[in-house]
Amino acid sequence: MNINFSRYDTLATLLAGTTAALTIVISQPAIAKTPQEVASIAGPLTVQINSSLGDGSGVIIAKTGKTYTVLTVNHVVEKADVKYTVRTSKGKNYQATSVTRLQTAETDPDLAVVKFESPEEYPVATIADSDQAVIGTQIFVYGYPATGGLFGAEREPELSPGLVTSRPRNRPEGYTLRYQAVTWSGMSGGPVFDSEGRVIGLHGQGEFGFAQTSSGEVAPIKTGFNAAVPINTFIAKLVAAGINKSELKVDNTPATIGPVSTANPQDAQAYYFRGLSLLDQGDAWEAIADFNRALAFKPKYTPELFFNIGNARTLITASLPELGATRGSTAIQAYTRAIEANPGFADAYYNRALAYLDNQDQPKAIADFQKAAELYKQGGRTSAYQDALNRIKQLQ
C-alpha cells in the first residue's frame, strides 16, 4: 500500500538532498501563544497573491527600504507570462515587481519568492527551526481560502489548527512537513506557524490522497492530511532566492509547548492522534487498532474516527487483490457509520462512492457522489463540488 498526496496543481517531482539547519539565533525565550494571539501575529504578515489563473497566499519574510519580500509556493506563481498582484492585510493591492521561482527542476521544492513595493509599514515574520516540528507538534495554518465563489478582495483569512502527523525524509516537491488540519483551496503558499507564532513552513498540499488499487489503477480518497514545505528547505535555497541571511528574522529557541506524546496513550484523543500518525505513515492495521481503542471512550469526534477507519481499510483492501468481489466492503461499512454519526459528512459520502465503484456498484456510487456534491456546494467547497460533478458525468 502507499499514499501519495496531491497538491492543488499536481506535479510528480521528488525532493533531492537534505535541508540545512537555521543559523541565525535570537536569544530571547519563546512564549507559547493562544490561537487568538497566533492569528493576530499572522494577520499582518500574510498576504494574498492573485492572478487571472487563480488565487493563493504568501507571507512577508523580509523588508529592504520600501521593498517587501514574500515567500510562497511555486505553483501559485508558476506561469511566467501572467501578472501577479499582492493584496495585504490593509486591503492594498500592489503589482509584483519580481518573481523568483525556486522550483526550476523536478527535483526542486515547490517554493517561490515575490517582491512588491509599498510605502506602508508591514511586519516581517519570525522564522523558526522547522526540524523542531516533530510528530505531535502543534501547528497553525493561515491563509486566504478561495471557496464559495469568493476571489480576490472578497476572500477572508482563516486560521486552522492542527498537529504534525509525520516527517518523512523525502516527498515530492519537498512536502515533508505533514499534518492533520482543515485547509482550503487558496491557502496554498500561506504560512504554517508553530505554537509561538513563528513560521516553520509553507502550506501547499492537501485535501486528498491516492491509494494504489489491486488492478494497478490509482484511486483518490479524501483524507484530511495536508503538507507544507519546511522553512529549513527554504533556508537552504537563500542563494538562489537572492536573499542574505541578515535580512531574515530568525528565532531557533525551542517551543515552550512540547509535542503530544503517543508513547503511552491514556485517553481517546491520544489514541486518535496516534492512529492518525500511523495512518499517515501507511501503518493502516495499527491505525485501526488505535482508532478502535479511541472509540471505546465514546468521544465526541466519533464520525472522524469511523471516517479514518474507512480510509485505513481502503488502503488495506487496495493491497489485497485476493479479496475479489468483497473488496472495499469493510471500508463501506466504516464510511456508513461515519455518515450515520454525521449526516453532513461530505467527504465520507465521497469516499464511500469510491468504495462502491470499487465493488462495481455504480448506482450507489452515483447517489453518494450526488450527495457529496450537494454538501460541498452548501459548504462553499467549490473545487470539491466540481470534482464530484465531474465524477457523476463520467458515470452517467
Side-chain angles (χ1 to χ4, degrees), residues 275-291:
L276 286 175
S277 183
L278 288 167
L279 179 59
D280 188 24
Q281 297 173 74
D283 296 327
W285 285 113
E286 293 84 354
I288 290 174
D290 272 352
F291 291 147

Side-chain angles (χ1 to χ4, degrees), residues 147-176:
T147 57
L150 300 179
F151 300 98
E154 299 174 320
R155 294 196 289 157
E156 295 292 335
E158 183 168 324
L159 180 80
S160 181
L163 293 172
V164 176
T165 51
S166 71
R167 292 302 312 268
R169 179 170 297 181
N170 290 306
R171 281 287 183 176
E173 300 181 276
Y175 283 102
T176 60

Side-chain angles (χ1 to χ4, degrees), residues 21-26 127-129 132 198 232 250-255:
L22 297 174
T23 58
I24 307 171
V25 179
I26 295 177
I127 293 171
D129 181 3
Q132 295 182 26
R198 303 173 299 187
N232 285 14
V250 182
D251 177 1
N252 283 349
T253 55

Side-chain angles (χ1 to χ4, degrees), residues 13-57:
T13 59
L14 184 67
L15 174 67
T18 57
T19 59
L22 297 174
T23 58
I24 307 171
V25 179
I26 295 177
S27 59
Q28 292 87 344
I31 300 174
K33 304 290 192 299
T34 65
Q36 292 78 13
E37 288 173 329
V38 173
S40 67
I41 292 171
L45 302 170
T46 308
V47 300
Q48 298 181 23
I49 299 178
N50 302 321
S51 73
S52 59
L53 296 181
D55 299 332
S57 302

Side-chain angles (χ1 to χ4, degrees), residues 49 72-80 84 99-101 112-114:
I49 299 178
T72 186
V73 291
N74 185 67
H75 72 265
V76 168
V77 293
E78 63 185 341
K79 300 297 183 181
Y84 299 95
V99 177
T100 302
R101 298 170 180 87
V113 170
V114 177

Side-chain angles (χ1 to χ4, degrees), residues 249-327:
K249 182 180 178 183
V250 182
D251 177 1
N252 283 349
T253 55
T256 56
I257 297 178
V260 173
S261 175
T262 58
N264 186 27
Q266 298 294 319
D267 56 25
Q269 184 178 23
Y271 277 120
Y272 178 47
F273 174 70
R274 191 171 73 175
L276 286 175
S277 183
L278 288 167
L279 179 59
D280 188 24
Q281 297 173 74
D283 296 327
W285 285 113
E286 293 84 354
I288 290 174
D290 272 352
F291 291 147
N292 284 327
R293 293 185 184 104
L295 281 170
F297 289 88
K298 298 181 179 180
K300 295 181 180 179
Y301 40 88
T302 296
E304 289 77 13
L305 279 163
F306 281 119
F307 175 74
N308 282 292
I309 289 174
N311 289 343
R313 286 176 173 171
T314 295
L315 297 178
I316 290 170
T317 55
S319 65
L320 298 174
E322 65 273 14
L323 292 179
T326 64
R327 242 181 58 73

